Amino acid sequence: MYIFIAALSVNSVLLSTVTYPKLFVDVLSEKQIISISACRFQHFMCYSIAGSDFLLLSAMAFDRYVSICKPLKYPVIMRQTTINTLLFLSWFVPGLQIAVLHTLVLNNKLCNFTLKGILCNNSLWKLYCESPRATLIYGLVVMLSVVIFPVFFILFTYAKIFLITYRSSRAIQKKAAETCLPHLFVLSIFTTLCAYDVIIGRLELDFPKTAQLIMTLQVIFYNPLLNPFIYGLKMKEISKHLKRLFCHEGENWRCRR
C-alpha cells in the first residue's frame, strides 16, 4: 500500500511540474503562447499521468481486496515481483498508448492556432485540419483500457470487500471503511473531473469561460493537494513522523501524543 501511495505522489509531482510553471508564466504574461511541440509534450504527460493514476488506484483496490478478504494469502499473492509488475504496467501502458495517439497525428497539418483553455488538453485535437477516424477509434480504445475498465474493476472490488466485511465483526468493518472510503472519494472526484475534461475537449459546447477556467484548475489542483491529506495523514506512521518533525520536547509548542 505504501509503495502505491508513493507512486501516486510521484505522479502528483510530475503533473505539478508539467502544468504549474507554464501556468504561472501565462498569468504574468500579456500574451499566452506555447509551441506546438511543448503543447504536445504537456498533453502527453498530463494524460499519461491521468491514465497511470487510474491503474494505480486499481492496483490499490486489488491490494486492499487481498489484504482484507484473503489475509493469509497476502504474502504469497502480493510479492515484490507482483508489485513491481503492477507499477511497471501502471506507468508504461498509458504512456505507450498516448505516444501512439500522438504518432497517428504527427504529420497532420494545423488549421487553427488558438487553443481554447489554459492547458493542452483534448482541445489540442481541434487545432488540426482533420481528425482521422482511426484516431477517434483509438482514443476510445485508450479511454476504455485505462479509465472505464479500471473504474468498473475498482467498484466491483470494493463491492466485494463491503459484502464480505458486512458479515464480519465491527472491527473488520471499521478497518475496511477507513481503508476503502478515502480511495472511493478520490476515485469519484478524479473520474468526474476527467469526464468533464474529455467531454469539453471533444464536444464544442457553449461553456462559460470563467466556469471552464475554474473546472480546469480543479483538474490539476485536486489530486496534488488532496492526496497527501487523504492518504498520508490517515496513516499512523506518517502522522507520528510529522508530529516528531514539527513538535520537539523543550519547545513552547504543545503536541498531543
Side-chain angles (χ1 to χ4, degrees):
M1 175 58 66
Y2 293 118
I3 294 176
F4 294 129
I5 292 174
L8 283 176
S9 301
V10 170
N11 282 2
S12 297
V13 172
L14 291 175
L15 180 63
S16 302
T17 305
V18 172
T19 56
Y20 291 172
K22 182 64 176 69
L23 188 61
F24 293 150
V25 171
D26 288 341
V27 171
L28 299 175
S29 304
E30 295 183 1
K31 293 183 179 181
Q32 291 74 40
I33 300 175
I34 186 171
S35 65
I36 185 63
S37 58
C39 191
R40 286 171 178 166
F41 176 75
Q42 189 181 71
H43 179 278
F44 167 78
M45 290 297 297
C46 288
Y47 286 94
S48 298
I49 293 170
S52 176
D53 280 349
F54 278 110
L55 294 182
L56 285 173
L57 289 172
S58 301
M60 291 173 68
F62 177 71
D63 177 83
R64 291 300 86 197
Y65 172 77
V66 177
S67 174
I68 295 174
C69 301
K70 299 181 179 181
L72 297 180
K73 296 182 179 180
Y74 185 85
V76 178
I77 297 175
M78 296 303 294
R79 295 179 177 178
Q80 190 65 41
T81 304
T82 305
I83 296 173
N84 293 337
T85 303
L86 292 174
L87 287 176
F88 174 78
L89 292 176
S90 298
W91 278 320
F92 178 75
V93 172
L96 177 63
Q97 291 178 331
I98 302 300
V100 172
L101 186 62
H102 277 274
T103 304
L104 292 175
V105 298
L106 189 61
N107 296 324
N108 289 13
K109 294 182 179 180
L110 297 175
C111 289
N112 186 10
F113 297 92
T114 302
L115 186 70
K116 295 182 179 180
I118 61 175
L119 293 176
C120 293
N121 54 8
N122 274 322
S123 57
L124 171 66
W125 309 125
K126 300 297 180 182
L127 302 182
Y128 292 98
C129 299
E130 58 179 356
S131 183
R133 185 179 297 273
T135 304
L136 296 176
I137 296 175
Y138 182 76
L140 291 175
V141 173
V142 172
M143 187 170 64
L144 284 173
S145 60
V146 299
V147 178
I148 304 299
F149 289 158
V151 168
F152 278 107
F153 174 78
I154 294 169
L155 295 177
F156 173 78
T157 303
Y158 284 145
K160 290 278 292 183
I161 291 175
F162 288 130
L163 285 175
I164 292 174
T165 55
Y166 180 76
R167 298 187 294 267
S168 303
S169 62
R170 286 292 185 91
I172 297 178
Q173 293 177 7
K174 182 180 179 181
K175 178 184 177 182
E178 290 179 351
T179 304
C180 299
L181 289 180
H183 299 179
L184 291 175
F185 177 71
V186 171
L187 177 68
S188 61
I189 292 179
F190 192 53
T191 304
T192 302
L193 294 174
C194 289
Y196 156 81
D197 183 74
V198 172
I199 292 172
I200 292 298
R202 287 293 181 180
L203 303 177
E204 293 185 0
L205 301 177
D206 188 13
F207 207 66
K209 289 186 177 181
T210 304
Q212 186 174 352
L213 173 64
I214 293 174
M215 290 297 294
T216 305
L217 288 175
Q218 291 184 67
V219 172
I220 61 175
F221 281 169
Y222 264 151
N223 267 21
L225 291 177
L226 290 181
N227 281 350
F229 292 97
I230 293 175
Y231 294 119
L233 297 182
K234 290 286 291 183
M235 301 292 179
K236 292 182 179 180
E237 289 81 0
I238 297 178
S239 299
K240 289 180 181 178
H241 282 292
L242 287 177
K243 287 181 179 180
R244 292 175 183 174
L245 179 64
F246 292 106
C247 307
H248 301 279
E249 294 183 2
E251 295 183 357
N252 293 328
W253 297 354
R254 298 183 61 184
C255 306
R256 298 179 181 178
R257 296 183 178 179

